Amino acid sequence: MTDNDDVSGLGRNLTYGLLDLLGRQIVTGAFENRPFPTEAELSTQHGVSRSVTREAVKMLTAKGLLTARPRQGTSIQPVASWNLFDADVLRWLLERKFSVELLSQFNQLRAAIEPAAAALAAGSADDKGRALIEAGFARMEAAERGEDDVLDADIAFHLSILRASGNPFFAQFRDVVATALRTSIRLTNRIVGRTADLAAHGAVRDAIMARDPRAAQNAMRAIIGDVMDLIARHSHAAQ
């Protein structure tokens, strides 16, 4: 057997398969009332080599979910230690039972980042960045006509603005934003019963193309504000 033979149900890449399985179990509290298994126990349970197990545990440790101490073994870290900007960690969190609080917290992060990114894009985006935004909005228009995936097009538009901002720190949020938006948009669309507001997104695009930072910032803030209002109303109605 090689480390890439799929004999355990973990997929062709056993390391990442085990990483995904254990990460999801940790985040959903599967080990809440029992110690985290040893590498030997994990290898036996999942039918993989010690090297696969060791690498998966090492990756979970790098993500802040586990800690290993001499003579104390491996244990699960408190949530405050988890790397919430890691796309895998965020995906596992969002795959848990729907949490209005988590969705609200994510959109608070969006409110701090995306309007500023839109303002930067309006003020300094180069031709390539502006073309990315135009392409992202064109996908949203195509999705309205049933010619593209609504969710993918919406995400592509938001990511194009992060990239066009010219700020590498904002651009680094693309994986986190893509992962969280995929869940956030799906859930908010289910609540409101419609797809993204094309006119509202068009206002962001138009302001960026007009090189009007304040208008771009306000238009993006309005989009996220509408989402936050929707979540708040849903939360109150569910109580």
Side-chain angles (χ1 to χ4, degrees):
M1 181 188 77
T2 67
D3 284 351
N4 287 324
D5 289 332
D6 185 9
V7 297
S8 60
L10 296 175
R12 293 295 295 175
N13 189 313
L14 296 185
T15 300
Y16 284 94
L18 185 59
L19 167 77
D20 190 59
L21 175 64
L22 294 177
R24 187 178 289 107
Q25 288 179 334
I26 291 170
V27 169
T28 57
F31 302 105
E32 190 170 335
N33 297 313
R34 58 190 174 99
F36 190 77
T38 64
E39 288 184 5
E41 290 170 337
L42 289 171
S43 296
T44 300
Q45 289 171 10
H46 301 289
V48 296
S49 68
R50 291 287 290 273
S51 63
V52 165
T53 302
R54 190 174 301 113
E55 185 63 24
V57 168
K58 186 185 300 183
M59 294 167 75
L60 288 167
T61 301
K63 294 175 186 294
L65 272 67
L66 297 175
T67 183
R69 294 187 177 88
R71 295 183 298 277
Q72 295 182 16
T74 302
S75 58
I76 296 173
Q77 289 278 71
V79 176
S81 297
W82 297 356
N83 181 4
L84 301 180
F85 291 108
D86 181 280
D88 286 330
V89 176
L90 186 59
R91 175 170 54 83
W92 295 327
L93 283 167
L94 291 170
E95 286 176 356
R96 296 193 307 190
K97 183 179 179 181
F98 173 62
S99 168
V100 171
E101 181 181 15
L102 183 62
L103 196 56
S104 296
Q105 290 168 344
F106 166 65
N107 280 287
Q108 288 165 3
L109 175 66
R110 288 185 62 201
I113 294 171
E114 293 193 65
L120 285 173
S124 59
D126 58 16
D127 290 343
K128 183 178 179 181
R130 290 160 68 85
L132 279 173
I133 293 170
E134 290 282 21
F137 188 71
R139 287 192 62 183
M140 292 190 71
E141 291 179 313
E144 283 284 305
R145 300 190 299 268
E147 298 169 3
D148 202 335
D149 181 84
V150 171
L151 186 57
D152 288 343
D154 198 347
I155 291 171
F157 178 75
H158 286 273
L159 296 190
S160 71
I161 293 173
L162 292 177
R163 294 188 180 99
S165 72
N167 185 315
F169 294 100
F170 284 167
Q172 287 280 322
F173 277 101
R174 63 184 181 275
D175 290 341
V176 172
V177 169
T179 300
L181 267 177
R182 188 164 297 279
T183 299
S184 178
I185 293 171
R186 186 182 296 119
L187 290 171
T188 53
N189 285 353
R190 185 186 308 162
I191 294 169
V192 77
R194 61 166 172 76
T195 56
D197 187 335
L198 191 63
H201 287 72
V204 176
R205 188 278 309 267
D206 292 345
I208 291 174
M209 295 306 145
R211 295 203 178 280
D212 187 337
R214 178 171 294 181
Q217 184 177 47
N218 289 339
M220 181 62 80
R221 187 178 288 127
I223 290 175
I224 301 171
D226 285 345
V227 173
M228 295 179 74
D229 288 344
L230 176 65
I231 294 169
R233 290 198 304 271
H234 175 75
S235 177
H236 292 148
Q239 290 176 357

PDB file of all heavy atoms in Angstrom, residues 20 65 155 174 224 227 235:
ATOM      1  N   ASP A  20      -8.846  16.912   6.588  1.00  0.00           N
ATOM      2  CA  ASP A  20     -10.211  17.418   6.481  1.00  0.00           C
ATOM      3  C   ASP A  20     -11.130  16.705   7.468  1.00  0.00           C
ATOM      4  O   ASP A  20     -11.958  17.343   8.136  1.00  0.00           O
ATOM      5  CB  ASP A  20     -10.714  17.224   5.052  1.00  0.00           C
ATOM      6  CG  ASP A  20     -12.032  17.942   4.802  1.00  0.00           C
ATOM      7  OD1 ASP A  20     -12.086  19.173   4.956  1.00  0.00           O
ATOM      8  OD2 ASP A  20     -13.013  17.262   4.464  1.00  0.00           O
ATOM      9  N   LEU A  65      -5.351  24.359  15.733  1.00  0.00           N
ATOM     10  CA  LEU A  65      -6.370  23.495  16.329  1.00  0.00           C
ATOM     11  C   LEU A  65      -5.792  22.544  17.362  1.00  0.00           C
ATOM     12  O   LEU A  65      -6.506  22.120  18.277  1.00  0.00           O
ATOM     13  CB  LEU A  65      -7.100  22.688  15.243  1.00  0.00           C
ATOM     14  CG  LEU A  65      -8.319  23.375  14.610  1.00  0.00           C
ATOM     15  CD1 LEU A  65      -7.893  24.597  13.807  1.00  0.00           C
ATOM     16  CD2 LEU A  65      -9.071  22.404  13.708  1.00  0.00           C
ATOM     17  N   ILE A 155     -19.280  35.879  -6.063  1.00  0.00           N
ATOM     18  CA  ILE A 155     -17.984  35.769  -5.391  1.00  0.00           C
ATOM     19  C   ILE A 155     -16.881  36.358  -6.266  1.00  0.00           C
ATOM     20  O   ILE A 155     -16.008  37.093  -5.774  1.00  0.00           O
ATOM     21  CB  ILE A 155     -17.681  34.298  -5.046  1.00  0.00           C
ATOM     22  CG1 ILE A 155     -18.635  33.819  -3.944  1.00  0.00           C
ATOM     23  CG2 ILE A 155     -16.225  34.123  -4.605  1.00  0.00           C
ATOM     24  CD1 ILE A 155     -18.574  32.336  -3.685  1.00  0.00           C
ATOM     25  N   ARG A 174      -8.539  36.845  -0.046  1.00  0.00           N
ATOM     26  CA  ARG A 174      -9.404  36.299  -1.095  1.00  0.00           C
ATOM     27  C   ARG A 174      -9.894  34.889  -0.771  1.00  0.00           C
ATOM     28  O   ARG A 174     -11.078  34.585  -1.002  1.00  0.00           O
ATOM     29  CB  ARG A 174      -8.694  36.321  -2.455  1.00  0.00           C
ATOM     30  CG  ARG A 174      -7.443  35.473  -2.540  1.00  0.00           C
ATOM     31  CD  ARG A 174      -6.763  35.657  -3.896  1.00  0.00           C
ATOM     32  NE  ARG A 174      -5.568  34.835  -4.003  1.00  0.00           N
ATOM     33  CZ  ARG A 174      -4.359  35.191  -3.561  1.00  0.00           C
ATOM     34  NH1 ARG A 174      -4.216  36.373  -2.983  1.00  0.00           N
ATOM     35  NH2 ARG A 174      -3.324  34.395  -3.698  1.00  0.00           N
ATOM     36  N   ILE A 224     -23.242  45.379   2.092  1.00  0.00           N
ATOM     37  CA  ILE A 224     -22.984  44.583   3.295  1.00  0.00           C
ATOM     38  C   ILE A 224     -23.954  44.956   4.404  1.00  0.00           C
ATOM     39  O   ILE A 224     -24.399  44.104   5.179  1.00  0.00           O
ATOM     40  CB  ILE A 224     -21.517  44.759   3.742  1.00  0.00           C
ATOM     41  CG1 ILE A 224     -20.581  44.313   2.623  1.00  0.00           C
ATOM     42  CG2 ILE A 224     -21.243  43.961   5.019  1.00  0.00           C
ATOM     43  CD1 ILE A 224     -19.125  44.626   2.859  1.00  0.00           C
ATOM     44  N   VAL A 227     -27.090  43.040   3.972  1.00  0.00           N
ATOM     45  CA  VAL A 227     -26.918  41.650   4.414  1.00  0.00           C
ATOM     46  C   VAL A 227     -27.010  41.562   5.930  1.00  0.00           C
ATOM     47  O   VAL A 227     -27.685  40.679   6.481  1.00  0.00           O
ATOM     48  CB  VAL A 227     -25.565  41.091   3.926  1.00  0.00           C
ATOM     49  CG1 VAL A 227     -25.302  39.707   4.533  1.00  0.00           C
ATOM     50  CG2 VAL A 227     -25.535  40.997   2.413  1.00  0.00           C
ATOM     51  N   SER A 235     -32.646  36.623  12.620  1.00  0.00           N
ATOM     52  CA  SER A 235     -32.330  36.198  13.991  1.00  0.00           C
ATOM     53  C   SER A 235     -33.469  36.529  14.931  1.00  0.00           C
ATOM     54  O   SER A 235     -33.873  35.702  15.761  1.00  0.00           O
ATOM     55  CB  SER A 235     -31.035  36.879  14.452  1.00  0.00           C
ATOM     56  OG  SER A 235     -30.741  36.538  15.786  1.00  0.00           O
TER      57      SER A 235
END
